[in-house]
């Protein structure tokens, strides 16, 4: 059996921690296994006729997030097709807090990547959920 990396396990635990928070806020949630290989998102959450497609990231500090351009384009297409809200969720372990932003609200485009700046349009998760 192949060994999984510590990054896989950190991501796995972050996804489950976010689902726990979303369920506490009244959402139905499902984790999409191997999301990067097929679906594009890590979590689907639904409440009151609203669907969230969530890509989960975990970092020790608030840093810029880089995502492959073709992956973000695929994610935006799926969000549009489903009439969902596409979110990038970031758990910052140094402050033990979740932040979110719309997947479409990147700060810079490079040849192969979109960059979401640490100082950009991040909203604390609880504040975002209250606004829905």
């Amino acid at each position: 059996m192949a060994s999984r990396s510590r990054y896989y396990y950190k991501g796995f635990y972050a996804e489950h921690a976010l689902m726990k928070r979303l369920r506490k806020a009244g959402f139905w949630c499902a984790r999409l296994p191997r999301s990067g290989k097929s679906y594009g998102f890590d979590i689907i959450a639904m409440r009151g006729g609203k669907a969230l497609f969530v890509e989960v990231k975990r970092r020790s500090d608030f840093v810029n997030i880089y995502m492959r351009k073709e992956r973000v384009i695929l994610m935006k297409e799926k969000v549009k097709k489903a009439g969902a809200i596409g979110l990038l969720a970031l758990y910052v372990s140094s402050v033990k807090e979740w932040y979110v932003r719309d997947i479409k609200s990147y700060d810079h485009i490079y040849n192969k990547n979109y960059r979401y700046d640490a100082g950009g349009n991040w909203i604390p998760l609880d504040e975002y959920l209250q606004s829905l």
Side-chain angles (χ1 to χ4, degrees), residues 1 11 15 19-20 24 30-32 41 52 55 63 69 79 84 95 119 127 130:
M1 185 167 116
E15 290 164 10
M19 287 195 321
K20 185 176 180 180
K24 190 175 179 181
R31 179 177 173 268
L32 302 173
F41 291 95
L52 305 178
E55 172 64 19
V63 296
K69 197 176 193 179
V79 163
V95 295
E127 183 181 320
Q130 289 175 4

Side-chain angles (χ1 to χ4, degrees), residues 85-104:
I85 300 168
L87 294 177
L88 180 57
L90 173 64
Y91 181 73
V92 182
S93 61
S94 62
V95 295
K96 297 182 173 138
E97 187 63 62
W98 282 99
Y99 298 91
V100 296
R101 68 186 293 176
D102 193 298
I103 200 77
K104 297 178 283 188

Side-chain angles (χ1 to χ4, degrees), residues 42-55:
D42 297 313
I43 296 171
I44 292 178
M46 297 189 323
R47 177 182 78 181
K50 291 191 181 199
L52 305 178
F53 288 8
V54 187
E55 172 64 19

